[in-house]
Amino acid sequence: MECHIDYHPPANLLEGRVVLVTGAGSGIGRAAARSFAEHGATLVLVGRTLTKLETVYDEIETAGGPQPAIFPLNFEGATLKEYRDLAETLEREFGRLDGLLHNAGLLGELTPFAHYDPELWERVMQVNVTGPVWMTQALLPLLEASRDASVVLTSSSVGRKGRARWGAYSVSKFATEGFMQVLADELEPTSSVRVNTLNPGATRTAMRQGAYPDEDPATLRTPLDIMPTYLWLMGPASQGRTGQAFDAQPPKNVASAST
């Protein structure tokens, strides 16, 4: 077990940092946003459902965290202009970005490729790959303006070894791993921005339940349980680690895919 899985962060780990989380309205994104704020970060909450983002906003403020910012955005229909508008807003408000967690994702359908719906395939690729890629490009100057920026892209075990019936989701996560490697290799010689992927593992989320409807959620770790690795990657302890694929949980059963 790597030390980051059992990482014990100091209370002020992310104090003074500005961190953007996509898919911040529920599940792992919500837990990450609240955890980052608890450790001092100013959050930029990005997601498709305003009411959910407002709930997380209220939870952070009630807990005494720094006042967050909200930016509703749906990767399925987002345009390049929206990503640029987001970057301009953050430039105006903060002048930099110290962390970026790409957590938003779409499972699609678990079905043999021969029966996969092409329109659904495009939707999954848009949400899981294309949207995050162009958002990252728009935010890159702000990340470069930070003295210690971390980009974390959410991966999966089926993005490291393909598995039957996982279709577009699996392929999208292979693409995520590839994008991470390319960007990390480009930035490493001249930039302090580090880029890594993180596989959350089997976690008690709505996406996991959609993939495994007969599974007992009580047997799974909660999003809060896996936050040590998220905090480790977002904080200074992971400086110098880039272009790598991390896991938030020790491997249990290779036959069970994470989502």
Side-chain angles (χ1 to χ4, degrees), residues 13 31-32 40 59 61-62 70 87 95 102-103 126 160 169-170 192 201 212 221 238 246 255 257:
L13 176 76
E59 290 170 344
E61 284 220 312
T62 300
I70 289 179
H102 278 298
N103 170 78
Q126 174 66 30
R160 297 170 183 171
Y169 185 80
S170 178
S192 62
Y212 296 96
R221 296 189 184 192
S238 59
F246 291 97

Side-chain angles (χ1 to χ4, degrees), residues 25-239:
S26 61
I28 292 173
R30 176 184 178 184
R34 294 183 60 178
S35 186
F36 294 160
E38 181 184 340
H39 289 82
T42 297
L43 267 295
V44 180
L45 307 172
V46 175
R48 64 183 179 181
T49 307
L50 178 58
T51 54
K52 290 184 178 181
L53 297 178
E54 288 174 337
T55 297
V56 179
Y57 180 105
D58 291 341
E59 290 170 344
I60 289 173
E61 284 220 312
T62 300
Q67 183 179 26
I70 289 179
F71 198 96
L73 184 144
N74 185 347
F75 274 132
E76 283 196 51
T79 63
L80 293 176
K81 182 181 183 302
E82 286 181 274
Y83 302 139
R84 292 167 186 153
D85 288 346
L86 170 62
E88 289 176 6
T89 299
L90 297 183
E91 168 67 30
R92 187 168 57 249
E93 294 295 323
F94 304 110
R96 71 182 195 286
L97 186 62
D98 304 297
L100 172 58
L101 170 60
H102 278 298
N103 170 78
L106 186 63
L107 177 63
E109 185 179 12
L110 301 188
T111 188
F113 173 70
H115 304 297
Y116 210 100
D117 177 63
E119 183 178 334
L120 180 58
W121 184 285
E122 293 295 333
R123 288 175 56 206
V124 172
M125 297 301 287
Q126 174 66 30
V127 172
N128 295 359
V129 184
T130 307
V133 163
W134 298 127
M135 176 184 280
T136 302
Q137 185 189 64
L139 296 176
L140 196 53
L142 290 172
L143 292 161
E144 294 276 16
S146 170
R147 290 181 295 178
D148 178 36
S150 175
V151 177
V152 180
L153 298 116
T154 301
S155 188
S156 169
S157 61
V158 297
R160 297 170 183 171
K161 184 181 187 304
R163 193 165 306 139
R165 300 174 61 88
W166 280 81
Y169 185 80
S170 178
V171 173
S172 74
K173 295 305 179 181
F174 271 96
T176 297
E177 294 284 352
F179 173 60
M180 175 274 289
Q181 293 177 24
V182 169
L183 185 58
D185 199 47
E186 287 183 3
L187 295 177
E188 188 172 16
T190 59
S191 172
S192 62
V193 180
R194 56 192 181 278
V195 187
N196 298 286
T197 57
L198 178 58
N199 168 25
T203 309
R204 198 182 305 170
T205 63
M207 183 183 287
R208 176 75 186 191
Q209 189 167 16
Y212 296 96
D214 297 327
E215 185 177 56
D216 181 3
T219 64
L220 305 176
R221 296 189 184 192
T222 69
L224 188 60
D225 292 334
I226 63 172
M227 282 301 111
T229 303
Y230 284 79
L231 289 162
W232 181 83
L233 279 171
M234 202 54 69
S238 59
Q239 287 176 353

